[in-house]
Amino acid sequence: MNTLRRAREEALSVGNRVSFVRWAPIPLRLIVGYGFMAHGFAKLNKGPDAFASILHAIGVPGPHLMAWLTILVEIFGGLAVILGAFVALASLPMAAVLFVAMITVHLPYGFSSIKIMSVTNGRAQFGPPGYECDLLYIACLAALVLGGSGPFSLDGYIKDRKNSGQK
């Protein structure tokens, strides 16, 4: 038993934890990037005009332009995050899209993103989502900007090249 405890303590020692910490941005990049791209492609597949109609209905100015800008931000911003490319720059319009969605759509429904309204035929029926997921995405983007993109990122590659003096 002492051997197992000692092995666990060694595995959790500061030196070992530091080597694992550098990998933390990878799951954030993958889920945030994929999530943004999935939302962007869903809007594109349903047709930008359908999304523009929604934007018009909630009073967003220039709904067709904003629909296309949102789709492009979601698809290309998501790809940039997955690749770890220019994450600090890409995060600004991505956070803006989230903030606008939070204020114009989700805020009236409160915090929780899951609201079970009823159960019909053995299946849960959900109400409109609150702003919880928007805040989670914003927090993940902030963590990537503040902590860096981590290994296997273009940002890291560019930084390494710059530090080594190569062009």
Side-chain angles (χ1 to χ4, degrees):
M1 193 64 165
N2 283 338
T3 307
L4 287 175
R5 187 179 323 144
R6 199 172 319 124
R8 191 174 118 233
E9 288 172 3
E10 286 177 23
L12 295 176
S13 70
V14 173
N16 287 336
R17 274 190 288 167
V18 170
S19 66
F20 286 116
V21 167
R22 63 185 229 114
W23 298 95
I26 291 178
L28 291 179
R29 282 184 13 223
L30 294 176
I31 193 64
V32 170
Y34 176 80
F36 265 90
M37 290 183 75
H39 285 275
F41 280 121
K43 290 174 180 74
L44 193 59
N45 287 336
K46 289 183 181 178
D49 288 337
F51 184 53
S53 296
I54 293 168
L55 295 178
H56 177 72
I58 61 174
V60 173
H64 282 69
L65 174 65
M66 295 310 289
W68 274 106
L69 286 175
T70 300
I71 291 167
L72 292 173
V73 164
E74 289 178 342
I75 292 172
F76 290 108
L79 181 61
V81 168
I82 287 174
L83 297 175
F86 311 105
V87 171
L89 184 62
S91 291
L92 292 173
M94 294 170 78
V97 165
L98 289 165
F99 185 71
V100 169
M102 189 169 51
I103 298 301
T104 60
V105 177
H106 303 287
L107 194 63
Y109 303 112
F111 176 76
S112 183
S113 62
I114 298 176
K115 293 183 186 63
I116 297 178
M117 304 302 282
S118 65
V119 177
T120 307
N121 297 328
R123 299 186 64 146
Q125 304 298 312
F126 297 97
Y131 54 90
E132 176 181 9
C133 285
D134 296 318
L135 289 177
L136 287 170
Y137 273 108
I138 289 170
C140 289
L141 288 171
L144 289 170
V145 169
L146 296 173
S149 298
F152 302 118
S153 68
L154 289 176
D155 286 344
Y157 175 76
I158 291 168
K159 181 180 173 186
D160 290 346
R161 283 186 56 109
K162 190 183 286 185
N163 289 342
S164 68
Q166 297 176 357
K167 292 188 178 185

